Amino acid sequence: MGVIRKQSTAHGFEGGVKCVCDVCSVDITATVHIRCAHEACHDYDLCVPCFSNGSSSHVHDPRTHPYHVIEQHSVPIFTEDWGADEELLLLEGAELYGLGSWADIAHHIGGYRTKDEVRDHYIATYIESSHFPLPERASPQDTTLLNTITREDFQANKKRRIEERKEAAKTAQPATPKQKPTASVPACHEVQGYMPGRQEFETEHANDAEDAVQHMQFEPGDGLNPDTAELDPEVGLKLTVMEIYNARLTARADRKKVLLEHHLLDYKKNMAAEKKLTKEEREIVNKTKPFARLMNHEDYDDFVQGLLREHNLRKAIGQLQEWRRMGLSDLSQGEKYEADKLQRAQRLQTANPLDRLASSRASKATPPVEGPSAAALLTAPELPPHLQARPGSSKLAASSPAAAAARAYHDGEAANGHSSGTATPTSQPARSRPGVQPLANVQPLKFESEVPTDWHLLTKEEQQLCASLRFYAKPYLVLKEQMLKEAIKQGGVLKKKAVKEMCKIDPNRAYKVYDFFVASGWISKG
């Protein structure tokens, strides 16, 4: 095909129709070329060199097929700035896209014509003409413009105009994105699929109800059988199908009436109002929604507000009864009680998850381990006071390695200043633990003038351990937290091999820390 429409260009840019030679594919849009006039060759174009050489392709036969010489009609005929070729493209574009589609017509004309320019030219030349529907200079004998402006001057002006607009298009700001349409289409409402102009949905209730009746026909004379005076069975079947169809239409209308009457299409507004309710109030509202089909909007709103008021009154009565059981006599005491109750609940929520994990694992049976049991280690006389068994504590919890590791983690936090409570002193005196022997290749820490700022986070035994192994407080606390967490996951048991894989430090130093934890009763050997 010799005609190519530049559909890839944006509206308002070059656009237009491009002609290429069907043999050598050279651009012949702005030059004289040959077009085959045979019915077998549709839009078959040849450049002058290919035509003179007798070249052909497809079904074209240059020996027998007639042809036309296509010249450029780039001369003014109706106005000074529009050529005959552009006038032809204007009428062709109006026929293809319809009047009013000025952007598409301007794109069809090309030459950087804008839609406003095309519209104004069509109205001034054709609509406002005294010879409507023909232009003013529609007569073939009218050669006023041809005598005033020569072909060369017109083409030079046209080329200058195209170059100027091309440069302006390069420096122009990018076009603004298309705004949301205001037409009644499924995408212009906050509820997807609803068309407000038609008050319909893209997918209605019983959306396939029309399928059963779309091909149904009633011929004149259908109905009673003249011989038997009874209803024709085929007509009776059709009437039954129509009754089912009408019932579906009624159900569709009823559902749409509920949506419109109760303002359920105001989705954002309804969601904002629902967020203001508590969880209990939202549950009450959701349970009452089936009653909306049986009431109008005002009655349903009064019904819901009454249920919410009843719920709030019952809640307030239960709160007053709780205050009375607690011995509170006025509202100020009740407010202080609720504030303290809220603080306790928040502390429980932010409590250490390792404590809750240890309590959940305390009742589970632990696997047999080597060495002394956790109960014996917890009651060992050489343990420090804060690790000895407290009076009244649970025997099962005391015998659980997970509970021992969790208590060690919790007591470590208390010693580190993370707990608001104070440790309860025990009556049993604690023996002093012998110091950890330093390693041969590790120089112990010695503080001559001032102690590090985080050294107070450790107990005396831990300070001796860190000094002998050359550990600072914060790296040691990180190592301690990792080992105790892993021990709680394993039920209070930790293998020595796991410590080597977990800690990226000297294995001898890690084993010393491991032995210290085992001797302290915080973990058990695996």
Side-chain angles (χ1 to χ4, degrees), residues 464-484:
Q464 296 176 3
L465 174 69
C466 292
S468 60
L469 299 179
R470 201 173 181 80
F471 268 124
Y472 287 95
K474 289 185 178 179
Y476 167 76
L477 292 175
V478 173
L479 178 62
K480 176 183 178 182
E481 182 180 2
Q482 292 180 353
M483 294 177 64
L484 292 180

Side-chain angles (χ1 to χ4, degrees), residues 193-195 199-211 244-259 293:
Y194 178 66
M195 296 172 281
Q199 291 188 352
E200 293 180 355
F201 290 89
E202 187 178 11
T203 303
E204 294 280 357
H205 170 70
N207 197 50
D208 56 348
E210 286 77 9
D211 295 345
I244 297 174
Y245 173 65
N246 290 331
R248 292 182 176 179
L249 292 183
T250 303
R252 181 186 297 175
D254 292 341
R255 283 166 169 77
K256 192 178 298 181
K257 180 181 177 182
V258 172
L259 291 175
R293 300 179 60 182

Side-chain angles (χ1 to χ4, degrees), residues 36 38-42 44 56-65:
C36 181
H38 196 273
E39 59 182 5
C41 300
H42 179 67
Y44 189 89
S56 64
S57 61
H58 304 296
V59 297
H60 177 67
D61 188 359
R63 298 170 298 177
T64 59
H65 286 191

Side-chain angles (χ1 to χ4, degrees), residues 319-385:
Q319 188 180 53
L320 292 175
Q321 291 175 348
E322 182 181 1
W323 290 0
R324 177 176 294 180
R325 289 194 301 269
M326 295 299 173
L328 306 180
S329 57
D330 54 13
L331 294 178
S332 61
Q333 295 179 356
E335 293 176 358
K336 186 177 183 303
Y337 169 76
E338 291 297 332
D340 295 341
K341 183 179 179 181
L342 181 61
Q343 290 180 0
R344 289 194 298 271
Q346 291 177 351
R347 284 198 298 269
L348 290 177
Q349 290 179 358
T350 58
N352 193 346
L354 297 176
D355 295 338
R356 296 196 296 270
L357 180 61
S359 61
S360 63
R361 293 175 177 267
S363 58
K364 297 182 180 180
T366 57
V369 296
E370 299 178 359
S373 64
L377 290 174
L378 288 174
T379 56
E382 67 273 8
L383 288 179

Side-chain angles (χ1 to χ4, degrees), residues 19 31 87 109 160 180 185 221 336 340 367 405 434 463:
C19 295
T31 61
E87 298 288 354
I109 296 172
R160 187 185 310 109
K180 190 175 184 180
V185 295
K336 186 177 183 303
D340 295 341
Q463 291 176 2

Side-chain angles (χ1 to χ4, degrees), residues 161-178:
R161 173 178 56 83
I162 293 176
E163 293 295 334
E164 291 176 356
R165 296 190 179 184
K166 183 183 293 186
E167 292 297 329
K170 292 180 180 179
T171 59
Q173 296 292 334
T176 57
K178 293 183 178 181

Side-chain angles (χ1 to χ4, degrees), residues 1 13 21 40 49 81 110 118 167 172 191 208 227 245 267 313 319 326 334-335 382 406 411 433 440 468:
M1 303 298 289
F13 291 85
C21 178
D81 56 343
V118 173
E167 292 297 329
V191 177
D208 56 348
D227 298 333
Y245 173 65
Y267 179 76
L313 288 175
Q319 188 180 53
M326 295 299 173
E335 293 176 358
E382 67 273 8
D411 292 339
R433 188 195 317 276
S468 60

